[in-house]
Amino acid sequence: MTQATVTPTLAPTFTKLVSKEGGAEYPLKALHICEETFAPLEVAYDYDAIRRQVSRESIQAGPNSIWRYKAFLPVTSENPIDVGTGMTPLLKSHRLARRLGLKNLLIKNDAVNMPTLSFKDRVVSVALTRAKELGFTTVSCASTGNLANSTAAIAAYAGLDCCVFIPADLEAGKILGTLIYNPTLMAVKGNYDQVNRLCSEVANSYGWGFVNINLRPYYSEGSKTLGFEVAEQLGWQLPDHIVAPLASGSLYTKIYKGFQEFVKVGLVPDKTVRCSGAQAEGCSPIASAFREGRDFIAPVKPNTIAKSIAIGNPADGIYALELARKTGGYIESVTDAEIIEGIKLLAETEGIFTETAGGTTIAVLKKLVEAGKIDPDESTVAYITGNGLKTQEAVQGYIGEPLTIEPTLDSFERALERSRTLERLEWQQVLV
Ligand SMILES: *Cc1c(COP(=O)(O)O)cnc(C)c1O
């Protein structure tokens, strides 16, 4: 009889939680704030151990999901919750690039991420895997919409009880897209920052795993995979410039952490990636601080159609500011009208229907190019983080209408002629 070969269990590569200010160390539990400095806690890794465990080949041989990067993620499970999250397309842009005057523009398309069509599936897959490891049976979150969708869906798959909190005035698609998974859904009469404050109180007394509160150090690591994937999809190299939307600032800073980690373990050559960030003018506390050269964030009360990124008091705001300044990037804001134009522009040129956050990213990309802040030759990645079918209200009234006709050839031809005449008239108006 031949002896069965035993696959050695790989040792965990993450070692502790560390305070982002002062460096105090904490155990790997459901903790998120430093008791001494009140700064956020972050997961620390043993990069020598990661270097020993991974190579380009071992990653490529891994699952077709974020779990191909498991050595860089804070979970110990042999079988993490894998609902096919990640490995979304990195699309070479032709028509949008030409329209903007860029030669090397790429779109990272998380509008088609699984299972709930936003980048939040990445962070939730990691957070709920960790929640199970830590023994939680009920998971929760304070959400601007996409996080609620994702937490409810992945909790359903993982067999966890779920209670999520949202501002009551969210888009219909975000509410329906949560309720369908049958969680307990609390629609709070207030803005996100008020929802978040309430959830902090609930987290203290209910013993639930809040993905973006007491599990936040683990949750936020999931966003690094948006850096890893782009580097791998570019043939194991880093882009010159990225543009990503900012709500709390977590996604934006973690993409960069992902790039840095790949450099650290020797998977890609070192390079400074210029990191630019996008906010909606109606909720732009980070962009204002950037513009005014401040190093603190003055909280604001959100008022914008870009609800998914409407966080007035962003937890990682100062780290986002630091990153933009350190890498030579910019943090810009755009109006709601520009956001709608951004959504339409991406749809008309690339066939991608994004939500308001993606419209914000495209509008800021355009603004930066027009201001000469993005070089046409730079390889630039625009991160599209959510799907437009969830925020239909935003574009209602700003797009065309169907031509309703009788089921006859004659009716069709008359309608076609009418629409062509209208198009000509519109062109004449543009020309005068
Ligand atoms: C949550 C969210 C973001 C940004 O989130 P951060 O809090 O900055 O990590 C961006 N886009 C979409 C669509 C989102 O739902």
Side-chain angles (χ1 to χ4, degrees):
M1 227 168 76
T2 54
Q3 209 172 344
T5 47
V6 178
T7 322
T9 308
L10 299 174
T13 51
F14 60 117
T15 53
K16 58 195 167 212
L17 297 177
V18 177
S19 169
K20 280 177 82 95
E21 312 285 343
E25 298 182 3
Y26 293 84
L28 291 162
K29 294 187 182 154
L31 298 167
H32 70 298
I33 286 181
C34 175
E35 283 164 11
E36 293 159 29
T37 61
F38 303 106
L41 302 181
E42 192 169 34
V43 177
Y45 296 84
D46 175 352
Y47 290 104
D48 290 325
I50 297 179
R51 203 177 297 117
R52 282 194 299 274
Q53 285 184 21
V54 304
S55 62
R56 292 178 180 179
E57 294 71 27
S58 75
I59 289 172
Q60 278 162 343
N64 191 37
S65 72
I66 57 166
W67 296 112
R68 68 209 276 113
Y69 311 111
K70 183 165 168 254
F72 296 88
L73 297 171
V75 305
T76 54
S77 309
E78 289 284 318
N79 294 304
I81 302 168
D82 192 349
V83 283
T85 299
M87 293 309 279
T88 54
L90 180 68
L91 193 77
K92 170 93 184 144
S93 162
H94 296 291
R95 301 188 59 236
L96 177 60
R98 208 174 316 131
R99 189 81 81 85
L100 297 178
L102 292 176
K103 296 196 185 113
N104 199 355
L105 174 65
L106 298 125
I107 313 282
K108 180 62 174 167
N109 185 10
D110 260 20
V112 295
N113 200 16
M114 286 288 123
T116 68
L117 310 178
S118 88
F119 100 93
K120 290 293 196 309
D121 293 328
R122 298 172 183 275
V123 280
V124 172
S125 291
V126 174
L128 295 199
T129 298
R130 189 65 188 150
K132 283 187 106 167
E133 291 174 0
L134 293 172
F136 289 104
T137 53
T138 300
V139 291
S140 187
C141 66
S143 172
T144 56
N146 284 313
L147 187 60
N149 295 172
S150 193
T151 303
I154 301 178
Y157 177 82
L160 291 159
D161 288 331
C162 181
C163 177
V164 295
F165 297 74
I166 54 170
D169 70 347
L170 284 192
E171 300 93 342
K174 295 268 168 81
I175 295 173
L176 186 145
T178 303
L179 284 175
I180 193 67
Y181 306 108
N182 200 23
T184 304
L185 177 61
M186 296 288 172
V188 181
K189 294 179 193 162
N191 63 35
Y192 172 81
D193 299 284
Q194 294 170 304
V195 175
N196 196 39
R197 216 166 307 133
L198 167 64
C199 286
S200 297
E201 289 177 48
V202 178
N204 282 336
S205 43
Y206 277 76
W208 294 349
F210 276 79
V211 301
N212 58 338
I213 301 177
N214 51 0
L215 296 169
R216 190 173 178 84
Y218 309 102
Y219 153 96
S220 59
E221 291 291 290
S223 290
K224 295 189 306 189
T225 59
L226 269 173
F228 299 150
E229 280 174 29
V230 162
E232 184 180 347
Q233 289 168 321
L234 285 173
W236 303 103
Q237 50 178 340
L238 302 182
D240 294 320
H241 204 142
I242 64 159
V243 183
L246 308 177
S248 70
S250 171
L251 158 77
Y252 170 76
T253 50
K254 293 293 176 168
I255 291 172
Y256 184 75
K257 187 179 180 191
F259 290 152
Q260 273 188 314
E261 288 185 339
F262 263 22
V263 171
K264 217 173 277 182
V265 302
L267 288 168
V268 298
D270 196 4
K271 170 164 162 184
T272 303
V273 180
R274 296 213 285 156
C275 297
S276 290
Q279 293 210 292
E281 204 164 286
C283 184
S284 51
I286 312 176
S288 318
F290 183 84
R291 194 166 43 239
E292 292 160 19
R294 277 190 272 118
D295 54 10
F296 65 94
I297 305 287
V300 300
K301 212 169 158 211
N303 180 18
T304 169
I305 57 165
K307 295 174 196 267
S308 60
I309 50 171
I311 297 185
N313 189 11
D316 293 297
I318 50 167
Y319 306 110
L321 268 181
E322 250 174 53
L323 177 59
R325 290 180 179 140
K326 178 172 84 178
T327 61
Y330 304 89
I331 299 178
E332 257 298 355
S333 60
V334 285
T335 63
D336 284 358
E338 290 173 299
I339 292 169
I340 293 166
E341 283 310 307
I343 294 174
K344 291 173 66 178
L345 180 62
L346 183 67
E348 290 168 15
T349 55
E350 303 294 349
I352 295 172
F353 183 16
T354 184
E355 67 146 78
T356 46
T360 307
T361 300
I362 296 300
V364 163
L365 172 72
K366 182 164 179 273
K367 196 165 176 178
L368 292 177
V369 174
E370 284 167 357
K373 290 172 174 168
I374 293 181
D375 192 289
D377 290 310
E378 279 184 305
S379 65
T380 302
V381 177
Y383 281 91
I384 298 304
T385 48
N387 194 296
L389 288 171
K390 295 197 212 177
T391 63
Q392 296 179 37
E393 293 90 335
V395 291
Q396 214 97 63
Y398 296 95
I399 49 179
E401 279 174 24
L403 305 173
T404 307
I405 60 171
E406 299 302 323
T408 63
L409 189 59
D410 179 54
S411 178
F412 158 69
E413 283 174 344
R414 270 186 289 134
L416 191 63
E417 185 51 39
R418 252 198 327 275
S419 83
R420 286 184 172 156
T421 311
L422 273 178
E423 228 169 79
R424 267 198 303 279
L425 283 176
E426 270 171 29
W427 269 108
Q428 279 163 8
Q429 270 173 351
V430 170
L431 293 178
V432 291

